[in-house]
């Protein structure tokens, strides 16, 4: 009787495969047993034709200063549509497993598997990466393989296949990878994870919000950094900006981008009580680019902006609304805060170093190249289509296709109620100087969740922190390279119910700290050492 009860309990814990119930729990993975293992379609909750482990090898790597021994298993998840690409995934199964699992999100159009030895977005310098903490870590390429493109994560050619689009944009590949990974974890250790987490930034931040909304019981804790959550809405905005920047004389080159940035910082830096190269009081920063106008509005060199360039800069920082309905209900995109301190010293993620054109230069901005790929492969499915010839405000015959894609790419409707009720916890972070994904959009997402669930319920499971001076993914040399041990904070919240209290964020590029203020708060200087968080207070 006792043996039967134990066996039945184990089957419930391990899933539907009774063979797993006889596997004794272990902290060292059974790596040899994973090689060429079939992953049955029944182990995945979304339609596939199953999968297979293609390689499993015991290896080691130095992670966060520690030598970690682990089993690395590579696998493929087969599609339903024979013409669709496979999902390539990888899992790292450490010796001395801590009974926790971490899934990593991707970036851009994905197409490659994120490093399983990496850390979470905006991690502190001394915060051990998940694998160093003995997490089982896993990720996938989101259901397609990047082609031979000049810029990583900017190959959208998979968009010609519907299943590949759903895997990437709707997040189907995330759940398929999650399910396959938990199957392999159970095979390797004889146990399911006690806690499962997700972390990602940019596209990975969008993916983090997708899993919290679509599969609210799949992850106990989620870290979403600078999320491109309303993907199609931002694409339409980027398309509008691409056309503006392509106008004759409208593109401000890198020197003028730096000129604009320096003048914004000079005008707004001290509004938080201290001059430190960071604009913290965003609402108080009002900069008019016309103060940099060249005589008669004609471009006369690098020390001023022409009327056409002022128009382009203004367009980038102005909300866009489209005069038609799309099925997702999205009506616009809030633009970038380029006139209140966004980091314009990283042209690759912002304006670019050359104007958009057709064919699209690899030296144009990341967002312009993203638009180019989306128009050619997602929208028109015509690689020869001129992306400058399509006006997002007047799409004509393409409106129905845009509306359909909005139901796939903008599935984040902010209804996190089921995630909250399941006990899930969410940390949301964004840099106020982000030059690729607008923090204003994340503000909007947070406000939608709060308006839907109420302020009290929202604070029970969600914290949103806006970091002044931090740009997109700490790219280049930002004014404030944000670093916070968010994973330890999330572990405490999930494991013992202790929510983050008075967190402090470090500047990884400078020896200074600031209070990490809950949105809409921001750090105001009071007195004392301007490099110490203790000298600031969160205010609104």
């Amino acid at each position: 009787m006792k043996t039967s009860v134990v066996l039945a309990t184990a089957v419930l814990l391990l899933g539907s495969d009774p063979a797993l119930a006889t596997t004794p729990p272990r902290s060292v993975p059974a790596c040899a047993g994973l090689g060429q293992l079939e992953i049955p379609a029944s182990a995945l909750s979304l339609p596939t034709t199953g999968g297979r482990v293609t390689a499993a090898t015991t290896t080691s790597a130095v992670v966060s200063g520690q030598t970690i021994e682990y089993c690395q298993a590579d696998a493929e998840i087969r599609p339903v549509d024979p013409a669709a690409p496979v999902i390539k995934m990888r899992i790292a199964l450490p010796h001395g497993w801590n009974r926790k699992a971490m899934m990593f999100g991707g970036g851009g159009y994905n197409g490659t598997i994120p490093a399983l030895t990496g850390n979470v977005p905006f991690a502190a310098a001394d915060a051990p990466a998940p694998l160093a903490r003995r997490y089982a870590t896993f990720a996938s390429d989101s259901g397609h393989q990047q082609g031979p493109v000049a810029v990583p994560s900017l190959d959208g050619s998979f968009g010609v296949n519907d299943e590949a689009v759903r895997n990437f944009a709707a997040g189907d590949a995330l759940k398929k990878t999650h399910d396959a990974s938990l199957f392999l974890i159970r095979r390797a250790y004889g146990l399911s994870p006690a806690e499962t987490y997700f972390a990602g930034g940019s596209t990975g931040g969008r993916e983090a919000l997708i899993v919290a909304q679509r599969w609210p019981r799949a992850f106990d804790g989620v870290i979403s950094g600078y999320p491109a959550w309303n993907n199609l809405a931002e694409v339409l905005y980027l398309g509008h900006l691409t056309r503006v920047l392509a106008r004759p004389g409208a593109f401000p080159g890198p020197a003028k981008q730096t000129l604009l940035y320096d003048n914004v910082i000079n005008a707004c830096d001290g509004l938080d009580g201290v001059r430190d190269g960071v604009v913290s009081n965003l609402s108080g920063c009002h900069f008019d680019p016309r103060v940099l106008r060249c005589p008669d509005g004609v471009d006369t060199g690098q020390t001023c902006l022409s009327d056409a360039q002022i128009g382009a800069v203004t367009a980038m920082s102005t909300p866009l609304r489209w005069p038609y309905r799309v099925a997702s209900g999205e009506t616009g995109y809030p633009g970038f805060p380029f006139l209140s301190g966004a980091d314009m010293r990283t042209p690759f993620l912002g304006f670019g170093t050359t104007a958009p054109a057709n064919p699209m230069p690899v030296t144009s901005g990341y967002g312009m190249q993203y638009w180019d790929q989306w128009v050619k492969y997602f929208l028109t499915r015509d690689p020869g289509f001129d992306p400058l010839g399509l006006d997002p405000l007047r799409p004509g015959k393409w409106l129905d296709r845009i509306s359909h894609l909005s139901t796939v790419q903008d599935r984040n409707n902010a209804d996190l109620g089921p995630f909250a009720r399941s006990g899930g916890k969410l940390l949301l972070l964004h840099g106020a100087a982000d030059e690729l994904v607008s923090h204003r959009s994340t503000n909007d997402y947070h406000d939608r969740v709060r308006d839907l669930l109420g302020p009290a319920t929202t604070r029970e499971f969600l914290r949103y922190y806006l970091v002044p001076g931090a740009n997109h993914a700490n790219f280049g040399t930002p004014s404030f390279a944000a670093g916070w041990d968010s994973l330890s904070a999330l572990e405490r919240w999930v494991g013992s119910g202790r929510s983050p209290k008075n967190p402090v964020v470090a500047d990884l590029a400078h020896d200074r700290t600031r209070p990490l203020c809950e949105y809409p708060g921001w750090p105001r200087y009071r007195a004392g050492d301007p490099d110490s968080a203790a000298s600031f207070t969160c205010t609104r």
Side-chain angles (χ1 to χ4, degrees):
M1 179 67 178
K2 184 176 180 181
T3 301
S4 299
V5 171
V6 170
L7 180 59
T9 302
V11 169
L12 287 173
L13 176 66
L14 297 173
S16 60
D17 187 349
L20 296 179
T22 64
T23 304
R26 59 180 73 90
S27 63
V28 175
C31 197
L34 298 181
Q36 304 304 310
L37 178 69
E38 276 291 316
I39 303 171
S42 60
L44 284 70
S45 62
L46 295 178
T48 70
T49 52
R52 182 176 64 88
V53 176
T54 58
T57 307
T58 297
T59 185
S60 64
V62 177
V63 185
S64 302
Q66 306 177 49
T67 299
I68 307 299
E69 190 171 4
Y70 61 97
C71 171
Q72 177 175 299
D74 293 328
E76 294 181 352
I77 302 173
R78 296 183 292 267
V80 174
D81 176 5
V86 299
I87 300 170
K88 289 184 179 290
M89 57 165 286
R90 181 172 296 149
I91 186 168
L93 303 159
H95 293 205
W97 183 43
N98 67 358
R99 288 287 316 276
K100 298 178 183 180
M102 169 66 75
M103 182 175 182
F104 288 113
Y109 280 119
N110 291 337
T112 58
I113 301 173
L116 301 184
T117 57
N119 218 325
V120 303
F122 285 164
D126 59 352
L131 189 58
R133 303 179 195 225
R134 304 322 194 264
Y135 275 72
T137 59
F138 58 93
S140 78
D141 61 9
S142 82
H144 60 274
Q145 294 72 57
Q146 177 182 297
V149 295
V151 180
S153 74
L154 275 176
D155 178 11
S157 60
F158 67 94
V160 298
N161 182 274
D162 288 342
E163 186 170 348
V165 169
R166 289 194 304 272
N167 276 332
F168 164 76
D172 286 7
L174 301 171
K175 188 59 164 59
K176 296 172 185 178
T177 302
H178 165 276
D179 293 350
S181 296
L182 264 61
F183 174 83
L184 296 178
I185 288 172
R186 292 191 295 264
R187 282 283 183 169
Y189 294 114
L191 284 172
S192 294
E195 296 171 5
T196 305
Y197 295 85
F198 189 102
S202 196
T203 288
R206 173 179 64 84
E207 292 168 342
L209 299 179
I210 285 176
V211 299
Q213 177 189 314
R214 291 192 63 191
W215 302 287
R217 300 183 65 86
F219 295 91
D220 301 284
V222 170
I223 298 172
S224 173
Y226 31 96
W229 67 273
N230 47 354
N231 188 231
L232 182 132
E234 183 174 4
V235 167
L236 294 177
Y237 167 80
L238 291 170
H240 170 71
L241 185 63
T242 298
R243 287 168 54 87
V244 170
L245 291 173
R247 294 170 183 166
F251 180 78
K256 297 202 178 196
Q257 295 169 34
T258 300
L259 171 72
L260 180 61
Y261 174 82
D262 289 344
N263 276 269
V264 171
I265 294 295
N266 184 61
C268 299
D269 183 8
L271 297 177
D272 57 2
V274 64
R275 286 197 167 270
D276 55 2
V278 174
V279 176
S280 296
N281 183 0
L282 298 177
S283 62
C285 179
H286 304 287
F287 181 81
D288 188 342
R290 290 176 295 183
V291 301
L292 298 175
R293 185 173 185 262
C294 298
D296 299 321
V298 178
D299 194 346
T300 57
Q302 304 299 336
T303 60
C304 60
L305 298 176
S306 69
D307 284 345
Q309 291 160 353
I310 290 171
V313 168
T314 302
M316 197 163 200
S317 60
T318 301
L320 181 70
R321 296 286 180 266
W322 33 88
Y324 50 81
R325 294 179 181 272
V326 295
S328 69
E330 294 299 314
T331 59
Y333 193 77
F336 291 83
F338 274 81
L339 302 185
S340 59
D343 201 333
M344 287 165 282
R345 299 166 302 166
T346 54
F348 173 66
L349 296 183
F351 285 102
T353 57
T354 56
N358 185 40
M360 191 66 67
V362 296
T363 48
S364 62
Y366 190 101
M368 290 83 235
Q369 297 179 65
Y370 198 97
W371 162 257
D372 171 82
Q373 294 288 292
W374 183 81
V375 168
K376 290 178 177 178
Y377 297 110
F378 280 60
L379 183 63
T380 68
R381 290 179 165 173
D382 177 2
F385 196 95
D386 179 4
L388 300 180
L390 193 146
D391 185 354
L393 295 179
R394 289 171 288 275
K397 68 178 184 179
W398 300 110
L399 176 56
D400 287 346
R401 176 66 179 166
I402 288 174
S403 185
H404 166 72
L405 286 171
S406 77
T407 65
V408 181
Q409 293 182 253
D410 287 348
R411 291 195 63 159
N412 283 307
N413 61 19
D415 184 5
L416 297 181
F419 180 71
R421 289 190 292 273
S422 73
K425 307 300 181 187
L426 169 62
L427 294 179
L428 187 58
L429 302 102
H430 210 131
D434 196 308
E435 65 278 58
L436 182 59
V437 176
S438 176
H439 79 265
R440 295 172 178 171
S441 183
T442 304
N443 296 352
D444 178 46
Y445 180 86
H446 169 271
D447 291 349
R448 292 189 193 190
V449 174
R450 182 200 59 201
D451 292 346
L452 183 64
L453 302 180
T457 298
T458 299
R459 287 202 80 250
E460 289 177 0
F461 77 97
L462 187 157
R463 292 290 188 278
Y464 172 34
Y465 302 103
L466 186 61
V467 187
N471 68 357
H472 195 79
N474 284 337
F475 187 82
T477 55
S479 298
F480 194 97
W484 176 48
D485 188 3
S486 56
L487 181 53
S488 290
L490 187 59
E491 287 176 328
R492 288 190 293 269
W493 202 4
V494 168
S496 61
R498 291 181 292 155
S499 60
K501 186 176 182 180
N502 301 322
V504 171
V505 60
D507 184 347
L508 303 180
H510 310 88
D511 186 17
R512 59 182 175 179
T513 58
R514 292 287 183 272
L516 192 57
C517 301
E518 282 187 56
Y519 170 80
W522 51 272
R524 179 190 290 277
Y525 178 72
R526 296 182 300 176
D529 181 0
D531 290 333
S532 172
S535 302
F536 292 77
T537 184
C538 290
T539 189
R540 297 187 178 190

